Structures are given as structure tokens and as C-alpha cells.
């Protein structure tokens, strides 16, 4: 399809904030069976490494459009969604290494090459545009991606590192549970997370799932 048609079709998949692409890449790692997800980012670049997750070399070049491909795996769809969102962050290039393949998307076009690296995982490097230097100038300790990973990814079922540190694990404040329906909390399939005010009587459920 032509670029204009593709952008129109992809519009309905846009994230609330394009910087949430980091969460889609984390979802890809989980769906692809990765054992680790290590994130490093600064004002000029982003680097993420996913161990034990190797992409099909014949489909890597198709990643930007796999979001719309019903035959694509869940991991491929998440990677594709993240890649399309990352474009909106004014990045200048994306370099992806997986197995023995190295591919690059940039303003100059698409480039791929075969290298005998034998990488047992996938690594993505994103070069930021010049506008991203401002978050360092105004003294932010974390960029948007780091904040999203700390606030939303702590329960990911793999080893997660953000700038070499484990994610923060915070339970929501009790007032955020106001209005939750008690019947939902005691649903037959298992209860939800019980707000702190429900713990005073010490009547814990026999089994409980954390949503």
C-alpha cells in the first residue's frame, strides 16, 4: 500500500503518548519469550536488549507493516506498534539486531545486512532527534520512557532493568480504589486486589489474583 494509505490505517493504533513505544517493545519481549529486558536511554539515544528472543530474519524488514498483518505473531505486532510510535518521537534512526541480521531505518532509507554474530536475542538502538536534549537541560532525572517503565512495567514476567536498576514497585494509593464494585473483588474466577481498607478485618480470601 502507499504511504498515505498506510498512515491512515495505522492512525487507529496510535498510542495516547508515542513515548509509550517502550511498553509495546516490552510486550513484544514478553510475547516472544525473552528472559530479560534491559533498558538504557539518555538525551541522544535509546538502547534496549532482549535476551532469548530472536526474530525471523525473513520478516524483520516487514516489521513496520506487520501491525496490520493478521498472520503476524503477537511479538511482531507489538514490535511493529512500537516502531510506528517511535517514529512520532522525532527519532532520527532505528537500528535492530537479531540473530545474524542487522537492519536500519532512517531518513536515508532502509538498510539490512547479514553478520555472523550469533546473537541469542534482539537489540534495538534508537537515535534521538535534537529536540530531546531539552529534558536534560531542564534537569529531569528521567525521560518519559524510563517513567513509563517504572510506573507500568514492574510486574512484567521477566528480568527487567532500567538504567541498570530494578523497576519501582508501588501499590496504588487506597483512594484510587474508591468506587470499585465488591462483587468484582469477589468474582468466582478469583478476587481482585483488595483495597487496604478491606484488610482491617483480616478476612483474607483463600486465593487471590493481582490485576
Amino acid at each position: 500500500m502507499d504511504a498515505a494509505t498506510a498512515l491512515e490505517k495505522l492512525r487507529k493504533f496510535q498510542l495516547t503518548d508515542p513515548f509509550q513505544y517502550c511498553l509495546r517493545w516490552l510486550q513484544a519481549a514478553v510475547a516472544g519469550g525473552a528472559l530479560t529486558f534491559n533498558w538504557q536511554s539518555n538525551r541522544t539515544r535509546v538502547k534496549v536488549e532482549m535476551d532469548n528472543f530472536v526474530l525471523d530474519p525473513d520478516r524483520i524488514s516487514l516489521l513496520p507493516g506487520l501491525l496490520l498483518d493478521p498472520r503476524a505473531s503477537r511479538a511482531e505486532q507489538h514490535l511493529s506498534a512500537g516502531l510506528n510510535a517511535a517514529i512520532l518521537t522525532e527519532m532520527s534512526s532505528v537500528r535492530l539486531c537479531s540473530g545474524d541480521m542487522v537492519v536500519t531505518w532512517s531518513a536515508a532509507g532502509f538498510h539490512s545486512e547479514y553478520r555472523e554474530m550469533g546473537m541469542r536475542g534482539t537489540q534495538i538502538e534508537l537515535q534521538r532527534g535534537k529536540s530531546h536534549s531539552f529534558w536534560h537541560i531542564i534537569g529531569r532525572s528521567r525521560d518519559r520512557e524510563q517513567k513509563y517503565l517504572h510506573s507500568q512495567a514492574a510486574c512484567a514476567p521477566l528480568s527487567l532493568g532500567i538504567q541498570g536498576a530494578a523497576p519501582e514497585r508501588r501499590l496504588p494509593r487506597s483512594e484510587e480504589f474508591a468506587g470499585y464494585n465488591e462483587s468484582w473483588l469477589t468474582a468466582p474466577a478469583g478476587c481482585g486486589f483488595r483495597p487496604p481498607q478491606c484488610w482491617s478485618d483480616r478476612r483474607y480470601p483463600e486465593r487471590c489474583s493481582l490485576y
Side-chain angles (χ1 to χ4, degrees):
M1 64 183 71
D2 62 83
T5 303
L7 289 174
E8 180 63 31
K9 288 182 176 292
L10 289 170
R11 187 167 298 161
K12 66 180 180 179
F13 296 102
Q14 285 183 356
L15 303 175
T16 304
D17 181 351
F19 286 89
Q20 291 176 330
Y21 73 88
C22 59
L23 299 177
R24 298 308 297 266
W25 285 353
L26 174 60
Q27 287 177 299
V30 172
L35 300 178
T36 63
F37 184 91
N38 292 311
W39 182 274
Q40 292 284 339
S41 58
N42 55 38
R43 67 184 181 88
T44 60
R45 73 165 190 161
V46 167
K47 182 178 181 180
V48 58
E49 297 177 334
M50 297 168 268
D51 187 34
N52 198 50
F53 170 42
V54 179
L55 296 166
D56 183 341
D58 296 327
R59 294 173 62 81
I60 293 178
S61 63
L62 306 175
L63 272 176
L66 290 183
L67 180 59
L68 302 175
D69 188 343
R71 297 166 297 179
S73 68
R74 293 297 295 164
E76 290 174 333
Q77 290 176 340
H78 287 310
L79 272 179
S80 179
L83 183 61
N84 282 283
I87 292 173
L88 300 178
T89 68
E90 300 180 6
M91 60 82 184
S92 60
S93 67
V94 175
R95 181 175 182 267
L96 187 152
C97 305
S98 187
D100 295 324
M101 290 296 298
V102 180
V103 301
T104 304
W105 291 274
S106 68
F110 173 78
H111 176 74
S112 65
E113 59 180 307
Y114 174 83
R115 295 181 184 178
E116 292 187 7
M117 298 183 297
M119 181 181 290
R120 297 176 60 185
T122 295
Q123 176 181 296
I124 307 175
E125 291 189 43
L126 183 154
Q127 295 297 321
R128 298 188 188 276
K130 294 182 179 179
S131 62
H132 292 280
S133 62
F134 288 108
W135 64 262
H136 266 282
I137 294 174
I138 63 177
R140 293 184 185 175
S141 59
R142 292 175 178 170
D143 53 37
R144 292 192 198 177
E145 295 97 328
Q146 292 172 32
K147 290 179 179 178
Y148 277 125
L149 289 169
H150 274 292
S151 65
Q152 299 187 34
C155 292
L158 43 62
S159 177
L160 174 61
I162 309 168
Q163 305 295 92
E168 296 174 352
R169 302 175 184 275
R170 295 180 179 177
L171 293 177
R173 297 172 306 191
S174 60
E175 58 264 29
E176 294 181 2
F177 289 99
Y180 274 31
N181 190 306
E182 181 65 20
S183 64
W184 175 82
L185 292 171
T186 57
C191 73
F193 183 79
R194 300 183 76 86
Q197 60 264 32
C198 294
W199 292 353
S200 58
D201 57 6
R202 298 293 179 181
R203 290 182 296 162
Y204 299 106
E206 293 183 3
R207 301 184 65 182
C208 188
S209 300
L210 177 66
Y211 294 96

